[in-house]
Amino acid sequence: MARLSRLGFLAIAVVFHLIYIYSIFSIYFVSPIVHGMREFRVETQEAPAKRLVLFVGDGLRADKAFQSFPDPSPLNNDSAAAKEPRPLAPFLRSRVLSHGTFGVSNTRVPTESRPGHVALIAGLYEDVSAVTTGWKLNPVNFDSVFNRSRHTWSWGSPDILAMFKEGAVPGRIDADMYGAEAEDFTQDALQLDIWVFDKVKKLFEDAETNDTLDAELRQDKNVFFLHLLGLDTTGHAYRPYSREYLHNIQVVDKGVQEITELIEEFYGDGETAFVFTADHGMSDWGSHGDGHPDNTRTPLIVWGSGVAPPVISSSGVAEGHEDGFSSDWGLDQVQRNDVSQADIAALMAYLAGLAFPVNSVGELPLAYLQGDSKTKAEALLVNAKEILEMYRIKEEEKKSKELRYKPFPGLGDEEHSVEHRIAQIRQLIDNENADTAIQQSKELIQLGLEGIRYLQTYDWLFLRTLVTAGYLGWIAFAITTVIDLHVLQGETETLRSVPSMIAFSSVLVALYSVLFIQQSSWIYYAYAFFPVMFWEEVFARRAALEKGKEALFGYMSSSWDVVLLVLKSLAFLSLLEALVQSYFHREVFTVCYLLASAWPALYGSKFVKQNAILVATWAMSCSFMSVFTLLPANKVEDLSLILLGGSLMVAVGILYLLFEKSILANSGSTKDELASPSADGLSRTILGLQIGLVVLAMVVTKSSITSIQAREGLPLGTQVIGWAVLVASLTVPFLHGLRPNSHYIHRLAVIFLAFAPSFIILTISYEGLFYFAFFMCLFSWIRLEHHIYSYTTSQSSRAESSSMENSNPLKPALASAANRLASLKSGNYRALTLTDARISLFFLFFLQSAFFSTGNIASVSSFSLDAVYRLVPVFDPFSQGALLIWKLMVPFAIVSANLGILNRRLGVAPSALFMVVMAVGDVMTLNFFYMVKDEGSWLDIGTTISHFVIASLLGVFVAGLESVSEVIVSGVKFEGDKKAEQSEKAQNGAINGTPNGKPDVKT
């Protein structure tokens, strides 16, 4: 490969990281869906129920469904009676106490509507990668209870209903859906549920005059699905502890009662089974997605034909309440039967007499079934056959592809084969030994699931090895490239020979041959290609590594130098490990910021005294930043904090506007036209317009919050102005091009005011304060780094002239400074030194801080939709998600702008420090790759996925930010005052900054 250009390196970085991000889905989350299975149903003369009704209270937490609260109805008069706690769902509670069976349904991560409904209705835990397809109708072809029914009528949200309709047998499912505009988070969401209940009533009313419809409704194996989205919408808008959410539970309970009575009256045969549950829960801050128990525990109440009556304990606490979760429900005397969410699909299929969905992994919960042990044993055996059929198909598929297949031990030999085990269970049932048969069927189901998992993880070792080699290869390749381009500046030759090319090519051919024989996915070929390519490049450029070692470590002449280097390396790796731990404990950033505040003291008291104000500003800004990670990640809307943050932004703008000339003059001279009245006036006018937009953002945000909190919805005028301010804040800064000012402080002020409205309109609490503190910290950092550079450079010059280098305690720093001075003689950009590794590490630290200082991005549910309601009140996952992502990206743009300016001040090549960050950042990525879990608690699974994806994307972010930085800081120049420059040259013999890209050493 020819020597890479900057853009070539960035392109490889982006492609590599995007492909390797998918590796966890190829390894840990292979889709469980297979095709070609036979169907299985419980063969009985008459099904337990002729029809089934499924109610799903979207976003209903288990505890809120059963706890008692004061009457939240808006019609109550706050009387003493209304304040008395009472169950909010008396009808559903009556089903628990005297008509059916209840328990808690445990969902899996991600606790979102799509995977929740797929688990409920298909019995399938969709692989995580399927969720990335968004809200498409049916990107994965899975079977479902609806598809197995004679006919299904469904009502509710288009986000859910359409998915099951499009994937089913044509004409089998009717879906009556309201429009997406009805899902307005600022309006009363009760109407969504009332709409569903009214539609169901209308269907049965129409049947009285429509003989065809009446005949269809009276057939057996029909399913009715009521998707009740109101609770989810209300919970997002007002939180699940609000009166609105609790009142919505009352509305749902009343509607369920009315529909139950309507259906019982219509059929009059008592042969309808009813299931009430939820797809996921809701956190206290009004969100869901992760594995927090509030999100994973949902209610399950089943009653009607074929359902077992409640088991009441005459004394003490009944079974199922041992965890204490339901201690305040007043249901301790009723046996609680918890299930996994996928079990509900198997339960519904059995009750309605349908075949089990062929992709279902649910185990039939026998406690919910009415009947004797033999009936239950027969049903569970059929359930086991259905699961083992998936194992059979998966095993046949794996056998046909593997070179040397090793069967699953639990089902591998004749004595433990599926056929032998089923025959044993069949014999037990025939011999009236149903209890033993049930136990063995449960064991067989677990074996089947373990066998399916064995087949899904069959390729783990091979793929993990490839991916590890790829990441290690990338780190080595990136470091080698940085040394070649930015330390040695392309002076070494590539040592590529025919034997080495044959060796590496042979390895790649061997890997591809194995992948071809195993009919592997195309992406596996990419996993194999990158490590071979990277390591071949590293081997071919080994000369660069040898010379780079001399250039970077040539100053080392004593054991103390070695000890100091080891200590610095340990500190470097410790900070990287601290960043890994920060994904689990945000408080790590607090410690790091407090330690960083003392960092300038390492350069001695003389440096601190010379830069006392700057050092104090740095320490103060670090102290401010250390506070944010001690604050809760999940916030409640606070208008006073929003306005306080906005006020600080306005204050910064006004102060800069008033003292612009003196600020720029004190930091170094600018172009002569800055003093020109015309340029000065136009520039100040544009800055004033930016400040005005910040003020307007505060006004419109206050108006939006007031209207939404007053339950008045979002006024159209307020919404339009909000969008106008957001767009204008990002376009007005381009007007500065009419009168360009190339001073870096002016550019940073423009950038600060450009993004300020975004951090007002899209913030719900202290994020605006973070924006102010973060910008101040970054500004202090780049100035401090420049002053350190100038100080060590001048010290190096003096040390060389006085021959005192050997006795100087700053020897390593001075050696690096000497290398910088020497490198300036050979080109426009100086060579990198070991000192620049610290700058790159700071940059990486600030990137992580931008993620975690205002929230825990590793938790999906830390995203709050409160802010985006001010611009998009109607449910729209794409536009709302885009606004959330924009808010998250703003700090990255700020970090990149500051590093870009620092690059120029230090005379470093534009991409050099970014490349170092991309090299060391994947040390974290590899950590998280091996931390990914697909078993255990739902919280562990979701968190480890988030951690790996975030760490991986940093490589892509950095590549993108490098380009963003170039755009944002284009035109910024550093021109030292001529008199000061001449004075410094006379004193130090140093090379000061010039317009051609060399560093500005002026302090």
Side-chain angles (χ1 to χ4, degrees), residues 338-646:
D338 293 358
V339 302
S340 295
Q341 193 172 46
D343 299 344
I344 299 174
L347 174 62
M348 292 191 296
Y350 170 78
L351 290 175
L354 310 177
F356 291 104
V358 296
N359 301 116
S360 172
V361 296
E363 178 183 331
L364 188 62
L366 301 182
Y368 286 78
L369 309 185
Q370 187 176 37
D372 56 23
S373 297
K374 183 176 181 180
T375 301
K376 294 181 179 180
E378 292 277 9
L380 196 61
L381 178 58
V382 176
N383 186 196
K385 290 179 179 179
E386 174 264 320
I387 291 175
L388 289 166
E389 178 70 4
M390 277 192 291
Y391 170 78
R392 182 184 69 82
I393 295 296
K394 279 179 174 283
E395 186 179 47
E396 289 179 356
E397 185 179 279
K398 184 62 66 178
K399 279 182 178 179
S400 66
K401 295 179 180 179
E402 291 295 322
L403 289 175
R404 295 180 62 186
Y405 172 72
K406 295 181 180 180
F408 174 58
L411 300 169
D413 54 45
E414 186 175 343
E415 183 181 349
H416 299 91
S417 66
V418 173
E419 294 77 10
H420 180 70
R421 289 177 179 273
I422 290 178
Q424 280 186 325
I425 297 172
R426 179 75 266 165
Q427 186 176 3
L428 288 171
I429 296 174
D430 294 340
N431 293 338
E432 305 297 329
N433 195 352
D435 292 337
T436 305
I438 288 173
Q439 185 60 37
Q440 290 196 9
S441 291
K442 288 184 176 181
E443 293 174 0
L444 186 55
I445 287 175
Q446 291 307 312
L447 270 176
L449 294 176
E450 289 174 13
I452 291 172
R453 173 162 180 78
Y454 170 81
L455 296 171
Q456 285 184 274
T457 61
Y458 193 88
D459 297 325
W460 273 26
L461 179 61
F462 174 68
L463 290 174
R464 276 176 159 180
T465 303
L466 273 185
V467 172
T468 302
Y471 275 117
L472 292 176
W474 161 256
I475 294 171
F477 168 74
I479 291 174
T480 304
T481 303
V482 169
I483 291 174
D484 185 30
L485 292 180
H486 301 301
V487 175
L488 304 176
Q489 299 182 336
E491 295 176 355
T492 58
E493 295 183 3
T494 302
L495 304 177
R496 183 173 280 111
S497 62
V498 173
S500 68
M501 294 177 64
I502 292 175
F504 282 101
S505 298
S506 299
V507 172
L508 186 62
V509 169
L511 288 173
Y512 277 11
S513 298
V514 172
L515 295 176
F516 179 78
I517 293 172
Q518 296 183 170
Q519 302 176 36
S520 300
S521 168
W522 68 267
I523 201 166
Y524 287 24
Y525 292 87
Y527 298 154
F529 171 76
F530 280 107
V532 176
M533 180 192 76
F534 288 149
W535 286 110
E536 193 277 334
E537 277 294 310
V538 172
F539 182 78
R541 297 185 187 178
R542 56 192 182 276
L545 293 176
E546 287 292 331
K547 291 187 178 180
K549 176 183 175 182
E550 297 176 6
L552 294 174
F553 305 108
Y555 70 89
M556 298 174 59
S557 59
S558 66
S559 57
W560 172 245
D561 293 337
V562 176
V563 171
L564 197 59
L565 178 64
V566 171
L567 291 176
K568 288 183 176 181
S569 300
L570 289 175
F572 190 95
L573 293 175
S574 296
L575 184 54
L576 281 178
E577 182 58 31
L579 291 179
V580 171
Q581 294 304 315
S582 69
Y583 282 66
F584 304 95
H585 309 285
R586 293 170 62 238
E587 297 78 8
V588 168
F589 285 101
T590 298
V591 177
C592 291
Y593 270 116
L594 293 177
L595 291 175
S597 65
W599 158 56
L602 297 177
Y603 294 91
S605 58
K606 181 180 179 182
F607 173 79
V608 173
K609 290 178 182 178
Q610 288 179 354
N611 304 278
I613 296 177
L614 178 58
V615 170
T617 303
W618 165 255
M620 181 175 62
S621 62
C622 284
S623 299
F624 286 164
M625 287 299 299
S626 71
V627 174
F628 290 103
T629 44
L630 298 177
L631 299 176
N634 301 289
K635 302 167 284 295
V636 177
E637 193 170 57
D638 191 324
L639 180 59
S640 60
L641 288 178
I642 296 173
L643 296 180
L644 176 59

Side-chain angles (χ1 to χ4, degrees), residues 240-259:
Y241 50 76
S242 64
R243 291 186 62 162
E244 290 79 5
Y245 184 88
L246 299 178
H247 177 52
N248 206 149
I249 294 177
Q250 290 180 311
V251 172
V252 167
D253 181 70
K254 182 181 178 182
V256 170
Q257 179 179 3
E258 291 175 350
I259 298 304

Side-chain angles (χ1 to χ4, degrees), residues 29 147 397 679 753 907 963:
F29 304 103
N147 192 46
E397 185 179 279
L753 293 173
S963 302

Side-chain angles (χ1 to χ4, degrees), residues 2-140:
R3 179 168 280 110
L4 281 174
S5 65
R6 185 184 88 183
L7 293 179
F9 178 86
L10 294 178
I12 291 176
V14 171
V15 173
F16 167 73
H17 284 94
L18 288 179
I19 289 177
Y20 265 52
I21 281 174
Y22 197 79
S23 65
I24 62 168
F25 301 116
S26 297
I27 299 172
Y28 300 104
F29 304 103
V30 177
S31 175
I33 298 174
V34 290
H35 302 285
M37 289 81 71
R38 297 168 293 176
E39 67 174 53
F40 292 87
R41 73 171 73 238
V42 179
E43 300 295 344
T44 57
Q45 289 185 346
E46 187 174 349
K50 287 186 176 180
R51 65 202 67 88
L52 181 131
V53 181
L54 171 62
F55 303 95
V56 175
D58 199 310
L60 177 59
R61 276 167 47 166
D63 55 352
K64 300 302 180 186
F66 298 114
Q67 289 171 340
S68 296
F69 298 91
D71 186 4
S73 172
L75 299 179
N76 79 65
N77 54 7
D78 291 329
S79 62
K83 294 179 181 179
E84 193 71 26
R86 81 279 313 279
L88 299 181
F91 176 76
L92 290 171
R93 191 179 187 85
S94 69
R95 306 300 97 181
V96 173
L97 291 171
S98 57
H99 291 80
T101 306
F102 96 111
V104 172
S105 170
N106 293 289
T107 71
R108 284 194 184 181
V109 167
T111 46
E112 298 290 350
S113 291
R114 176 196 160 88
H117 280 90
V118 170
L120 277 173
I121 299 166
L124 163 71
Y125 294 116
E126 232 178 355
D127 60 303
V128 180
S129 60
V131 181
T132 62
T133 59
W135 296 92
K136 294 180 182 178
L137 295 182
N138 193 18
V140 181

Side-chain angles (χ1 to χ4, degrees), residues 910-964:
S911 60
L913 295 179
F914 287 95
M915 291 169 71
V916 176
V917 173
M918 282 186 276
V920 302
D922 278 328
V923 173
M924 295 172 55
T925 305
L926 202 51
N927 267 275
F928 290 127
F929 174 74
Y930 279 96
M931 291 181 182
V932 172
K933 298 179 180 179
D934 67 336
E935 289 185 305
S937 72
W938 313 143
L939 179 60
D940 288 343
I941 296 172
T943 300
T944 57
I945 294 171
S946 301
H947 289 170
F948 173 77
V949 172
I950 292 167
S952 299
L953 283 175
L954 280 178
V956 180
F957 285 160
V958 172
L961 291 176
E962 200 273 342
S963 302
V964 171

